Amino acid sequence: MPLSEKTNKTFGSLYVANRTFCNAWFCILIGYLIFKSTFVPKVAGVLFALAGVGLLTFLYPPLASSLIPYNLAVDALGEVALTLWLLVMGVNSERWKEQASAAQASLRT
């Protein structure tokens, strides 16, 4: 195998690992922020964080291949739940305005 093919293969696998790792931590952190938020239900945050945990399994391919229907289902459940919630229910705008006005009042004093 020529050196260029080895380099491309190594870069490709490192790229996939990097994207998987970054996407997984992104889902976990956003899930935590959603959980702490008061605008979206805490269940959506937990499901989104679990989606990130499901993505972390892809960093070890033998584990990912043995869990393949389950880790994808957890990922899909978390991301679809948040997407549907935001599409159907949206963010609680009254609570958003209350907290925004409270934050502005605290900045003025």
Side-chain angles (χ1 to χ4, degrees):
M1 180 183 296
L3 181 61
S4 62
E5 283 185 35
K6 288 182 182 179
T7 304
N8 286 341
K9 187 175 183 180
T10 303
F11 176 75
S13 61
L14 289 175
Y15 178 77
V16 169
N18 180 36
R19 295 299 301 163
T20 301
F21 188 72
C22 290
N23 287 341
W25 285 113
F26 172 78
C27 286
I28 291 170
L29 291 174
I30 295 298
Y32 173 75
L33 291 174
I34 291 170
F35 182 79
K36 289 298 204 175
S37 169
T38 59
F39 306 115
V40 180
K42 292 185 182 302
V43 173
V46 170
L47 290 174
F48 206 72
L50 286 176
V53 172
L55 287 174
L56 279 177
T57 61
F58 286 99
L59 292 176
Y60 185 62
L63 176 64
S65 64
S66 66
L67 297 175
I68 197 74
Y70 307 111
N71 55 5
L72 291 177
V74 169
D75 180 37
L77 179 66
E79 294 195 24
V80 168
L82 180 64
T83 302
L84 287 177
W85 175 266
L86 291 174
L87 283 174
V88 174
M89 301 301 290
V91 174
N92 189 341
S93 61
E94 292 175 12
R95 191 175 300 152
W96 184 282
K97 291 175 186 175
E98 288 173 6
Q99 287 188 0
S101 63
Q104 286 179 350
S106 68
L107 288 176
R108 290 181 190 150
T109 59

